[in-house]
Amino acid sequence: MNPQMEAEQAVLGAILLAPERLRDVAGWLRPEHFYRPAHAALFEVLLAQDAAGHPAPPDTDGASSAWATQAMASAAEASPGFTPGYGHTLIAACPVTGHAAAYGRMVLETAVRRQVHEHAHRLLAAARTGAVDGTLRLTGDLRAAIGQLADAWGSLDENPRPLPGPWPLELPPPAVEETLRQEAALLASLTALPREVRDISPWLHPADFLDRGHRAVYRAVAALAHRGEPIDPLTVLWEIQHHGDLASGTTTADAVRAVTRAGFSGDPGYWAEQVLQGSVLRSALTAAGTVRMLSLDTSLPAARLLGSALHTLRGTEAVQKRWRAATGTAGADGNPVGEPDEPEHRRDAARARSLAPVPDTGTTGPASPAQQAACARAPIRSSH
């Protein structure tokens, strides 16, 4: 049996043995924090009995035994996986009844890890299928879950920590080729219609481009537009040279000429939205994958996991905020996703649980080498 399941058994056994210990955990431990449904059912019954004022004087063994017996019988009715005999197994699994709060924190930490992983997995699946609306919604769901779990845990450690990754972003070759085609079409159109740059540059950033060479071209075009200088294939090439992108090998003069001399390829605003949409999905993939890796690290304490997950989300949320600005959409509440606060009750909860400490047991990143290689092989074509 793993330590997580032992902790669930131990906290329930402690409460069955000493009903007054329920008050040590009732303020922050919830039935949904238990992984095993039978355990969740029993804890829900225990909370209900306490709320109903069921008497169980701590100094009267008979009353405590009756309280526990009734709780186990009610749990057996509520959950097919619970039998009255299993209650005795729970009691035997409790090392020390006085450590109920410590066992409860172990259960909660496991729930934090499990729920963060589940939400990140859903976000990853939505981003992989290209569902932009679902990606936006599930990003908000993940942030909300982090806030709720931080409320339960009582703290959020946002101190800078080394993060794993970036999570290796691997895109299928057809997706890479289509993305490069869209980027090339945008750059060709912007060079042909430079007046459109000023409308697009506030919400489309160089980092939104998958190909490094395309980033360099867009950066040069945006810089020229910002300074009010002429934009054409030669001035763009000259600006790229000033930025050092030719000398560094980021791109080549021939590649720049190919994309800037392709001619008008359609509405720049349309292509810009397509490029930004790809950035929204890729950034969500990277963030969700990184958060999943964090949740699987059992050596990471709960507060640090939540803070690191929140820090990881900020990169993709920034891209999504620009997407909403570009498309005129908003979050589920009608407003852009905001920063979570640190409410007073969370700080109070953290101080309360610090009385029973438990030993710690536990942005959009750069393209991967495989992705960069795919970008290098894929042809740059303009759309007609």
Side-chain angles (χ1 to χ4, degrees):
M1 182 181 299
N2 59 49
Q4 292 78 17
M5 199 59 60
E6 287 186 59
E8 290 192 8
Q9 291 184 335
V11 67
L12 293 172
I15 297 170
L16 291 174
L17 282 169
E20 69 274 13
R21 292 301 174 189
L22 179 61
R23 304 297 173 87
D24 296 342
V25 300
W28 44 272
L29 191 64
R30 310 306 308 161
E32 59 267 24
H33 294 150
F34 289 83
Y35 176 75
R36 187 171 179 185
H39 294 166
L42 175 59
F43 190 68
E44 187 170 9
V45 168
L46 294 173
L47 291 175
Q49 285 193 178
D50 182 65
H54 190 291
D59 56 349
T60 306
D61 291 339
S64 295
S65 175
W67 189 82
T69 300
Q70 179 173 332
M72 289 185 286
S74 298
E77 293 177 2
S79 173
F82 192 94
T83 61
Y86 184 62
H88 299 290
T89 301
L90 298 177
I91 292 172
C94 176
V96 181
T97 57
H99 295 172
Y103 305 147
R105 284 193 66 188
M106 296 175 189
V107 172
L108 179 55
E109 181 172 330
T110 303
V112 167
R113 200 177 314 283
R114 182 176 64 252
Q115 292 183 24
V116 168
H117 182 275
E118 290 173 355
H119 281 279
H121 181 76
R122 295 190 193 105
L123 174 57
L124 190 68
R128 277 177 172 165
T129 61
V132 177
D133 291 343
T135 296
L136 299 177
R137 176 177 55 81
L138 291 171
T139 301
D141 288 349
L142 176 53
R143 171 179 275 279
I146 291 172
Q148 292 168 2
L149 291 168
D151 284 343
W153 186 256
S155 63
L156 191 68
D157 183 0
E158 293 193 73
N159 292 327
R161 306 283 183 182
L163 295 176
W167 183 73
L169 176 63
E170 296 292 344
L171 301 176
V176 172
E177 184 174 351
E178 177 62 16
T179 299
L180 295 178
R181 186 187 70 83
Q182 293 170 351
E183 293 178 358
L186 170 61
L187 296 173
S189 296
L190 282 179
T191 308
L193 291 177
R195 65 178 180 274
E196 301 288 336
V197 179
R198 289 185 178 274
D199 293 334
I200 292 172
S201 58
W203 48 265
L204 185 67
H205 295 177
D208 295 320
F209 288 77
L210 177 62
D211 181 68
R212 293 190 307 161
H214 291 167
R215 294 177 200 171
V217 174
Y218 181 71
R219 188 186 306 113
V221 170
L224 290 170
H226 178 72
R227 299 199 302 266
E229 297 184 10
I231 297 175
D232 61 40
L234 182 55
T235 60
V236 172
L237 179 60
W238 199 258
E239 183 71 15
I240 288 175
Q241 179 176 261
H242 281 172
H243 288 177
D245 292 317
L246 297 181
S248 66
T250 298
T251 188
T252 65
D254 287 341
V256 174
R257 293 188 189 101
V259 74
T260 57
R261 294 180 179 178
F264 179 67
S265 298
D267 177 21
Y270 168 79
W271 290 122
E273 285 190 12
Q274 297 303 303
V275 172
L276 183 55
Q277 177 177 296
S279 181
V280 167
L281 296 173
R282 292 194 303 275
S283 66
L285 279 171
T286 300
T290 301
V291 171
R292 280 211 317 176
M293 286 197 296
L294 288 167
S295 68
L296 294 173
D297 183 358
T298 56
S299 69
L300 203 61
R304 192 178 303 172
L305 166 61
L306 293 170
S308 298
L310 186 63
H311 176 75
T312 302
L313 274 185
R314 285 183 177 141
T316 191
E317 286 178 335
V319 180
Q320 292 178 12
K321 183 177 181 179
R322 290 189 281 110
W323 169 259
R324 290 188 172 102
T327 60
T329 58
D333 57 357
N335 297 304
V337 178
E339 294 295 327
D341 56 6
E342 182 74 9
E344 185 175 353
H345 72 270
R346 185 184 298 169
R347 295 192 294 269
D348 292 342
R351 285 193 290 270
R353 284 192 289 288
S354 67
L355 298 177
V358 180
D360 290 338
T361 57
T363 358
T364 305
S368 66
Q371 179 183 334
Q372 294 173 11
C375 290
R377 291 193 303 270
I380 300 178
R381 301 178 305 190
S382 59
S383 176
H384 298 283

